[in-house]
Structures are given as C-alpha cells and as structure tokens.
C-alpha cells in the first residue's frame, strides 16, 4: 500500500480528540432524534474536496482499523479521498458494499437495489448491519418524507434532495423486516440527518 502525499493531505480535525468526541455526540443526538438536522463539523475541520465536510468528519470519527469501509467506486479512484481514509482512519476497504460496516455513496448513484446490496443484519444479530452514509444535495428540500417512530413526538416531515424515489420505496418496504435493517445517515455540507431503522417513513 502506497503512502499518501502528506503535503496535499486534508488535515481532518484541528484538535482530533475533543473534535472527534464532539462530532460523535452530535451523531448520537441525530440518531436519537430522527429527521432533525445537526451541524456535525467542528471549526477548523478540513476534509477532501470531493466529499461533504460532514461525511469526511463522520469517517474520521467512526472508522478505525477494526471498521470495514466501502466507498463508491468513484471515490475509490480519488487519491485525495483514499489517502485521507488511509491516513486518518487506517481502516480496511471492503470489496463489496454488503461486506462493509460503513458504506459511503453519493445520492446520485443510488437506485432501488442499493439497500438490497447491503448487510441488513439478522434477527439475532441486527447490529451487524451496514450503516449507509449518503452525500445529498440538500437536507431541506426535495422528496418529502413523513417520519414516525422513536425519538419523534408525533410525526415530522423532511425534504431530501438526492436519493431517487425508488430508493425510498425500497426503504419503506424494509420497515417490516425490523429488527433487521439499514441505518441511514444523510450528509450535506456540514450537516447530518439520521434515519435509523426504527424510523418509519411515508413518501409524500
């Protein structure tokens, strides 16, 4: 494995330990409150230019040498991104999305079969399912989704630009498979929005 060019490497967290802890707490809050946008990127964070800063922040926060990561083929070909992952995370790259604990994809590459290619866990081991992190154009407009479930008082409506309707239709169909399922984290700029498998959605 070749070493990344340190001179051109994005530096990631300005203060790795406190910044990582702060980002992780923001992610936990997002998972506990589905549909609520959270600014996750700390001041001074610098990630690769081709990723939303929130997605790069999540990578540095969550991935380590024991975490298998699958990147979109487009991103696997970008040395700025793979170099960032190798240097800051040291994690192995999975050969297939279904073999990964974390899968990262741009919304433009999603389709109705994307979730079926991932590991949804089992009834006895639901926690081994893949977490899919998606780069979206916007977390305030686009396809309208009504959300219900734990962490939501009644219901909340969100707008997401990026994933096609066929993707959301498949996600809706998977709801009856609980506790199996795929946890979703949507990223745009420096914000994230979480849709854990416990969240039930309807498409407006």
């Amino acid at each position: 494995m070749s070493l990344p060019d340190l001179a051109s490497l994005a530096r990631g967290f300005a203060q790795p330990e406190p910044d990582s802890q702060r980002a992780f707490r923001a992610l936990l809050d997002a998972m506990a409150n589905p549909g609520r946008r959270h600014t996750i990127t700390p001041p001074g964070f610098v990630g690769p230019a081709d990723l939303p800063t929130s997605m790069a922040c999540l990578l540095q926060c969550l991935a380590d040498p024991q975490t298998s990561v699958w990147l979109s083929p487009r991103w696997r070909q970008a040395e700025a991104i793979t170099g960032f992952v190798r240097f800051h995370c040291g994690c192995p790259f999975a050969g297939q999305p279904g073999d990964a604990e974390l899968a990262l994809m741009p919304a433009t590459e999603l389709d109705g079969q994307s979730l079926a290619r991932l590991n949804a866990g089992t009834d006895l081991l639901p926690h081994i399912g893949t977490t899919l992190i998606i780069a979206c154009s916007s977390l305030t407009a686009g396809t309208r989704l009504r959300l219900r479930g734990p962490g939501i008082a009644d219901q909340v409506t969100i707008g997401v630009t990026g994933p096609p309707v066929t993707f959301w239709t498949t996600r809706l169909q998977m709801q009856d498979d609980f506790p199996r399922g795929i946890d979703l984290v949507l990223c745009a700029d420096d914000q994230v929005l979480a849709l854990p498998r416990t969240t039930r959605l309807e498409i407006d």
Side-chain angles (χ1 to χ4, degrees), residues 14-199:
Q15 302 179 72
E17 186 172 349
D19 285 351
S20 179
Q21 292 174 351
R22 191 177 303 117
F24 187 68
R25 286 194 297 269
L27 175 61
L28 290 180
D29 199 19
M31 295 294 288
N33 297 276
R36 183 183 300 173
R37 297 189 306 276
H38 286 71
T39 299
I40 196 170
T41 309
F45 179 88
V46 180
D50 289 340
L51 292 180
T53 56
S54 53
M55 178 176 274
C57 178
L58 284 174
L59 259 177
Q60 191 174 354
C61 175
L62 297 177
D64 59 29
Q66 284 73 51
T67 306
S68 56
V69 171
W70 187 83
L71 294 175
S72 156
R74 187 183 83 187
W75 290 337
R76 279 292 297 269
Q77 296 171 6
E79 178 56 36
I81 295 175
T82 56
F84 177 89
V85 176
R86 289 198 302 268
F87 182 80
H88 289 292
C89 309
C91 57
F93 289 114
Q96 299 294 330
D99 297 330
E101 296 168 71
L102 298 176
L104 284 76
M105 294 186 66
T108 52
E109 293 182 9
L110 297 174
D111 58 34
Q113 297 302 311
S114 297
L115 291 172
R117 300 184 187 106
L118 302 175
N119 179 8
T122 68
D123 288 339
L124 293 178
L125 298 171
H127 63 280
I128 67 173
T130 305
T131 295
L132 177 59
I133 304 175
I134 304 170
C136 300
S137 300
S138 171
L139 302 181
T140 60
T143 302
R144 290 175 60 81
L145 306 171
R146 291 193 304 275
L147 312 179
R148 294 183 175 87
I152 302 171
D154 180 19
Q155 70 173 25
V156 62
T157 299
I158 63 171
V160 179
T161 302
V165 173
T166 53
F167 174 85
W168 294 118
T169 300
T170 303
R171 167 60 175 78
L172 188 155
Q173 294 168 347
M174 293 177 67
Q175 293 175 167
D176 292 333
D177 295 336
F178 184 82
R180 290 173 289 137
I182 307 296
D183 295 324
L184 305 178
V185 181
L186 313 181
C187 299
D189 299 322
D190 63 350
Q191 293 192 321
V192 299
L193 181 156
L195 297 177
R197 71 190 70 184
T198 54
T199 302

